[in-house]
Amino acid sequence: MAILWALMALLLLSFALLPVLRRRRGVIEQVHPSHPDAADPADYGFVREEDLDIRMPGPDQDLLDVLGVVQRTQDYRAASQLLAGTEIAGELRWQRVQAFAGAAALELKERPGGVSETPGGQWLRVWRAEQPKDAGGAAVHAEFLVQQAWRTSTPGTDDFRIIMEEARDACGQAALLSPGDPVPYIIELSVARGLNYPQPEFEQLWLRILDRAPTHMGAHLAALHYWCEKWHGSRELAYSFAEAAAARAPQGSLLAAMPLFAVFEHLPEVNLVASFYQSEVVTKAVHGALHAVHSARQDDPMLAHVRHLLVFFLVRSERWAEAMGELIRVDGHVGALPWTLSANPAAEFALFRALAVAGYEANGGSPATLHS
């Protein structure tokens, strides 16, 4: 009888929690803002959901200013100048190349062009036509093609293969224009995943990147996808790659957070056991990422990426105070994993933020204690 009562209690509890939390990977139902349990983000100085910036993981005002000029004037020269002044082997250059390519791809999606309309992203075409030897423009074009392949085609189809092969050629051209630049090879990592490079060929590509930027976090994240179970590797290979990167990470490097990304890439599609996020493998990866963010340079362009993923895991493992500590550092920008996997990244982030606030307050926290 005791077992029966326990089962009934568990069933009732599940019905009570189901409207709030559907513990599927990254999918949780949201409490309406008018609901009495909904926290007001303004109490903590948080940005309201409708004002969250979904374009980038963190602030880059120079990039935003230049993007505004380019999109308003359709003149590529400001973008060319910004990339020319950005460190070749740094994380920021890779992020800015992605941002310019993404902006052009989004413009093209919104304005595909026609008989009487100029297609969106025309500034990128003009850039390549007028400055064919501009390494920045070549890299943006290669990344644009990669994004177009993933956005508009299905892996394995002829259309996808044709665009990816064009992207691979574009990567080669960009590499010739800037021999010490890792970005063209980082872009090719996505091509390698899409075209199913054999492992020896992928490893040769990876060595070219290590020769140019051995501690490049963005490159490691791009390479991790290839080794994942859902692509061309396995859970074991992905974990091994991530743990090796963390083991050789120099002091202050965010590579120590790589195992957390490997764990995220292999989360079960459905998980109803809260203790999973308190398991040894998750706890160890979270601790490694926390150590990484606390020892990294505070201006590291990849810092926000790690903090956003930490928010996800800290909320799931009910470490409310630590989650709030990361939220106050990344709030305002949500263009990072895991939020970008959602159809509405701002809503997904806002929901996790509300859960963190609720858990924090339920354990005695308040706006006063958070900022104390």
Side-chain angles (χ1 to χ4, degrees):
M1 180 63 71
I3 294 176
L4 180 59
W5 280 111
L7 288 173
M8 290 178 65
L10 183 61
L11 183 61
L12 289 172
L13 181 62
S14 69
F15 278 118
L17 291 178
L18 192 58
V20 179
L21 292 178
R22 282 191 351 221
R23 287 186 181 269
R24 297 184 61 175
R25 178 177 176 172
V27 180
I28 303 178
E29 289 185 356
Q30 187 170 8
V31 175
H32 192 274
S34 63
H35 193 282
D37 291 339
D40 185 352
D43 291 345
Y44 290 84
F46 290 145
V47 175
R48 291 192 174 277
E49 179 184 327
E50 60 269 24
D51 296 323
L52 291 168
D53 190 331
I54 66 173
R55 296 171 295 180
M56 298 184 299
D60 183 349
Q61 195 57 49
D62 288 341
L63 173 61
L64 289 178
D65 291 343
V66 168
L67 267 175
V69 169
V70 170
Q71 294 185 314
R72 184 175 63 255
T73 66
Q74 291 294 295
D75 188 333
Y76 67 85
R77 285 176 291 183
S80 177
Q81 291 169 3
L82 182 64
L83 287 181
T86 305
E87 181 190 359
I88 284 181
E91 305 280 357
L92 200 57
R93 179 178 172 84
W94 167 229
Q95 291 189 20
R96 288 173 170 175
V97 165
Q98 288 181 297
F100 285 129
L106 183 59
E107 284 185 34
L108 182 60
K109 179 182 178 181
E110 293 174 346
R111 301 193 310 277
V115 176
S116 59
E117 181 185 39
T118 301
Q122 184 66 19
W123 53 268
L124 178 54
R125 297 179 183 83
V126 175
W127 188 357
R128 293 298 294 131
E130 292 186 355
Q131 300 291 337
K133 293 186 179 181
D134 185 326
V140 172
H141 179 238
E143 173 65 14
F144 168 81
L145 291 171
V146 167
Q147 292 193 26
Q148 282 295 98
W150 291 110
R151 289 170 187 261
T152 65
S153 306
T154 303
T157 64
D158 288 343
D159 286 346
F160 182 84
R161 178 182 54 78
I162 289 169
I163 301 174
M164 276 298 189
E165 287 179 350
E166 185 180 354
R168 178 167 55 187
D169 292 340
C171 289
Q173 294 170 19
L176 289 174
L177 292 171
S178 184
D181 189 349
V183 168
Y185 299 103
I186 299 174
I187 297 170
E188 193 179 348
L189 290 173
S190 187
V191 176
R193 178 162 54 97
L195 293 182
N196 192 13
Y197 281 22
Q199 287 189 7
E201 186 177 352
F202 183 87
E203 288 169 350
Q204 287 298 314
L205 172 62
W206 181 238
L207 287 175
R208 295 188 185 100
I209 295 171
L210 292 183
D211 286 344
R212 292 162 175 81
T215 61
H216 199 292
M217 180 72 173
H220 280 78
L221 292 177
L224 176 64
H225 289 297
Y226 178 91
W227 295 113
C228 285
E229 189 172 63
K230 62 188 174 185
W231 287 104
H232 310 302
S234 64
R235 180 189 302 265
E236 292 72 25
L237 286 172
Y239 278 23
S240 176
F241 174 81
E243 289 165 2
R248 66 171 182 269
Q251 178 63 28
S253 169
L254 288 169
L255 288 178
M258 283 297 299
L260 189 63
F261 286 87
V263 170
F264 178 76
E265 291 296 335
H266 293 88
L267 287 178
E269 285 298 321
V270 177
N271 178 54
L272 298 175
V273 183
S275 61
F276 169 80
Y277 290 95
Q278 297 158 358
S279 64
E280 182 179 357
V281 64
V282 174
T283 299
K284 182 179 177 182
V286 167
H287 285 170
L290 285 169
H291 173 76
V293 299
H294 293 153
S295 60
R297 295 188 345 262
Q298 293 308 295
D299 63 346
D300 190 315
M302 294 301 294
L303 189 57
H305 287 273
V306 182
R307 290 195 186 280
H308 278 291
L309 197 62
L310 271 170
V311 168
F312 173 88
F313 277 99
L314 290 170
V315 168
R316 287 299 185 109
S317 56
E318 301 177 2
R319 296 167 63 167
W320 311 117
E322 290 169 294
M324 293 294 285
E326 300 305 321
L327 278 166
I328 62 174
R329 292 173 171 84
V330 298
D331 190 70
H333 298 82
V334 296
L337 286 175
W339 327 121
T340 50
L341 296 180
S342 168
N344 190 338
E348 190 79 354
F349 174 83
L351 176 56
F352 270 77
R353 186 176 63 184
L355 290 170
V357 169
Y360 182 64
E361 292 183 346
N363 286 274
S366 70
T369 58
L370 179 62
H371 296 287
S372 62

